Amino acid sequence: MKISVLRERRSGETRVAATPETVKKLVASGHSITIESDAGRTAGFLDSAYEEAGASIAKDAASAAAGADIVFKVRGPMKDEVAVLPEGSTVIAQMEPFALDPEVVSALNAKKIASLSMEFTPRITRAQSMDALSSQSNLAGYRAVIEGAQIYGRAMPMMMTAAGTIAPAKVFIMGVGVAGLQAIATARRLGAVVTATDVRPAAKEQVASLGAKFIAVEDDEFKAAETAGGYAKEMSKEYQAKQAELTASHITKQDIVITTALIPGRPAPVLVSEAMVKTMKPGSVIIDMAVTQGGNCPLSKADEIVDVGGVKVAGFSNLPARLPADSSSLYAKNLLAFLPLVTAEDGALNLDTEDEVVVAMLLTKGGETVNERIKS
């Protein structure tokens, strides 16, 4: 197959969908790889490195995409990007399926372009190596702590000096998924005193294993708050009120609060109210990782730091892009792991498969929107 990799054009996007390492492996598998010039520059991968790995370099997007069977991207294409994609080709990217522009969907279908969304990779054992949401969330959780430490402006660990002792920072992680667990681990490595909360009982053991303290109302409802598949159940209004009261009293004492709660296709739940923010000490920091879906704190704004009585509320819309080399490397490996599922024995593209992973990820095909999760 001919695989093309285009330069990302969205504001602030520094990642790239292939690295010299994955290009070398793709070429070894018999694929032809074309990279748009400077596609990897912001991630630290130069055209010369791609050429050494066996790729061809094209001067622009149209030249790179010409004749492509598959186009790899980090973010889903915008409408003007769809215009350069070959008719009947396939694009694999983080399509942001629940926020897809209807005009982009129409443009894809008009050219009978198949699109697959990396966000819809099923959470099953054999698809773990393809799970881009996890790979990017892991780095986002790490970076959230680094950003929080930088904005906080004080030392994270306890320091005992001849001039006196500096107390360790208190860090509270709200939501113990992939991002939250990495945030806990990172804050602990920096020497902070870390607490965390989640509505899933299994999270308590995970938090403890990383050396942090678990904060939650542990009543009978909490003990039954997890489905057989490991996901959180929706809690009653009574439980939510009790948990909010506990959270409010805890947040008052914290130096850095990192919120990670996201629900696919729905607005982010409010975890830190305006009233809670106003009880925090001046100099404290909130990092809202859910800002792109409305935020876990109603005061957060995308890519801004809002000062609320001395408390800094920061919302970063693309934390993985602040670690472009590593984020690109992991994402490119996710694509590399997925490709065999749509490759026939003769090396050609094969989307006519009943594989549950491919079926779950496929959004458009043959001029139609085929994914029930995004059909309006």
Side-chain angles (χ1 to χ4, degrees):
M1 284 185 286
K2 178 179 178 181
I3 300 172
S4 297
V5 178
L6 304 186
R7 179 171 58 83
E8 299 298 316
R9 287 167 166 77
R10 294 179 188 264
S11 176
E13 186 53 75
T14 59
R15 293 170 289 176
V16 62
T19 65
E21 178 187 357
T22 60
V23 165
K24 188 174 182 179
K25 292 177 179 179
L26 290 167
V27 171
S29 298
H31 301 297
S32 170
I33 314 298
T34 301
I35 310 284
E36 182 183 356
S37 182
D38 286 338
R41 178 174 288 276
T42 53
F45 305 116
L46 303 183
D47 290 349
S48 57
Y50 287 114
E51 287 182 306
E52 289 175 13
S56 300
I57 304 298
K59 63 179 181 179
D60 54 31
S63 301
D69 297 300
I70 292 180
V71 174
F72 284 168
K73 290 190 88 280
V74 175
R75 306 279 293 278
M78 296 179 286
K79 188 177 179 182
D80 59 340
E81 292 178 292
V82 175
V84 307
L85 302 181
E87 187 161 345
S89 60
T90 295
V91 60
I92 307 175
Q94 294 180 102
M95 297 291 293
E96 299 172 58
F98 294 116
L100 260 178
D101 184 343
E103 291 189 4
V104 170
V105 176
S106 296
L108 291 168
N109 286 334
K111 299 182 75 172
K112 296 185 177 179
I113 294 171
S115 60
L116 294 105
S117 178
M118 294 297 286
E119 293 97 328
F120 277 177
T121 305
R123 292 287 177 89
I124 58 177
T125 301
R126 72 182 182 90
Q128 286 181 344
S129 61
M130 312 164 198
D131 188 352
L133 271 183
S134 291
S135 73
Q136 302 304 289
S137 294
N138 189 55
L139 288 168
Y142 163 82
R143 187 69 192 195
V145 175
I146 301 302
E147 297 290 348
Q150 191 276 326
I151 297 169
Y152 179 50
R154 297 184 181 183
M156 293 287 278
M158 182 175 71
M159 293 185 181
M160 300 180 71
T161 76
T165 299
I166 296 173
K170 295 177 181 177
V171 178
F172 184 36
I173 312 297
M174 304 187 74
V176 189
V178 174
L181 287 170
Q182 184 55 247
I184 292 169
T186 302
R188 287 279 297 150
R189 285 193 292 267
L190 291 176
V193 175
V194 184
T195 53
T197 189
D198 197 284
V199 297
R200 295 172 300 114
K204 181 177 181 179
E205 185 177 338
Q206 295 170 329
V207 168
S209 71
L210 292 171
K213 182 180 178 181
F214 191 68
I215 304 294
V217 176
E218 298 183 49
D219 58 11
D220 290 338
E221 183 178 357
F222 171 81
K223 294 173 184 176
E226 191 166 3
T227 68
Y231 293 96
K233 291 181 180 178
E234 186 172 358
M235 308 300 279
S236 68
K237 297 295 184 183
E238 292 76 13
Y239 181 88
Q240 290 179 33
K242 288 188 289 185
Q243 179 71 5
E245 184 178 353
L246 175 63
T247 298
S249 63
H250 188 66
I251 279 179
T252 300
K253 309 165 191 173
Q254 302 306 301
D255 299 307
I256 299 174
V257 176
I258 297 174
T259 67
T260 74
L262 283 170
I263 303 171
R266 293 170 58 187
V270 174
L271 302 181
V272 183
S273 67
E274 181 175 351
M276 291 180 189
V277 175
K278 290 180 177 178
T279 68
M280 296 178 72
K281 303 184 298 288
S284 302
V285 177
I286 297 172
I287 303 293
D288 189 343
M289 294 183 66
V291 68
T292 57
Q293 287 180 217
N296 296 140
C297 176
L299 300 176
S300 65
K301 296 182 180 180
D303 300 313
E304 291 186 28
I305 299 176
V306 180
D307 191 312
V308 183
V311 177
K312 303 293 196 308
V313 182
F316 297 99
S317 61
N318 191 351
L319 282 163
R322 292 172 176 260
L323 294 163
D326 288 332
S327 297
S328 297
S329 178
L330 294 185
Y331 180 68
K333 289 176 181 176
N334 294 145
L335 290 170
L336 183 67
F338 172 72
L339 189 62
L341 299 188
V342 291
T343 304
E345 290 185 9
D346 62 358
L349 176 65
N350 176 30
L351 292 177
D352 295 321
T353 172
E354 295 181 0
D355 188 289
E356 62 181 316
V357 177
V358 178
V359 171
M361 294 168 63
L362 199 59
L363 302 186
T364 61
K365 181 185 176 186
E368 297 180 5
T369 301
V370 297
N371 197 298
E372 294 296 330
R373 296 176 71 183
I374 65 167
K375 285 184 178 179
S376 55

